């Protein structure tokens, strides 16, 4: 995980090809589009640019990183760490947020157009 973070901090994915099948097929951003570029910007200390690539990913990344860390520690036989768990209600809220974000980030009107990746 540390090596992946170092690699992502050193290698700027901004100018690479689009790898999202949804974006390639439709031209629209999916909820995850810009997530790798947002992670790169966070790892290099640019919160504003990270939010510009994918605001939801910026909010979700710390939780995803912690969940992955817990799994890795458990797989290596380390101590049991507290896990993130969501009630059914919060799971539905999270899904709704992602779906709304998916739709709104593809609207070509202000103030929503900044949510898209622009790529």
């Amino acid at each position: 995980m540390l090596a992946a973070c170092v690699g992502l901090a050193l290698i700027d994915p901004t100018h690479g090809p689009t790898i999202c099948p949804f974006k390639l097929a439709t031209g629209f951003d999916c909820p995850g589009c810009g997530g790798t570029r947002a992670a790169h910007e966070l790892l290099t200390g640019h919160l504003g640019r990270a939010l510009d690539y994918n605001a939801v990913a910026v909010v979700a990344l710390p939780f995803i990183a912690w969940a992955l860390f817990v799994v890795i520690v458990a797989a290596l036989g380390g101590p049991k760490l507290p896990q993130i768990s969501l009630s059914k209600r919060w799971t539905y809220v999270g899904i709704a947020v992602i779906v709304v974000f998916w739709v709104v980030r593809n609207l070509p009107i202000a103030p929503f157009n900044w949510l898209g990746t622009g790529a």
Side-chain angles (χ1 to χ4, degrees):
M1 191 159 100
L2 180 61
C5 287
V6 169
L8 187 56
L10 295 175
I11 301 169
D12 185 359
T14 304
H15 304 294
T18 299
I19 58 172
C20 175
F22 182 80
K23 184 159 182 130
L24 286 171
T26 66
F28 293 108
D29 290 331
C30 79
C33 280
T36 304
R37 289 172 284 168
H40 168 77
E41 295 299 342
L42 281 176
L43 290 168
T44 56
H46 302 107
L47 177 60
R49 287 195 289 210
L51 287 168
D52 193 37
Y53 281 121
N54 190 320
V56 170
V58 171
V59 173
L61 277 171
F63 299 103
I64 294 168
W66 176 256
L68 184 58
F69 180 72
V70 168
V71 168
I72 291 170
V73 168
L76 296 174
K80 184 172 170 110
L81 299 171
Q83 295 183 0
I84 298 170
S85 63
L86 297 174
S87 68
K88 190 179 266 190
R89 172 183 279 173
W90 282 108
T91 300
Y92 291 140
V93 168
I95 291 168
V97 166
I98 290 169
V99 169
V100 168
F101 176 68
W102 191 350
V103 172
V104 170
R105 79 183 310 205
N106 287 295
L107 296 175
I109 56 173
F112 307 114
N113 53 349
W114 75 271
L115 291 170
T117 60

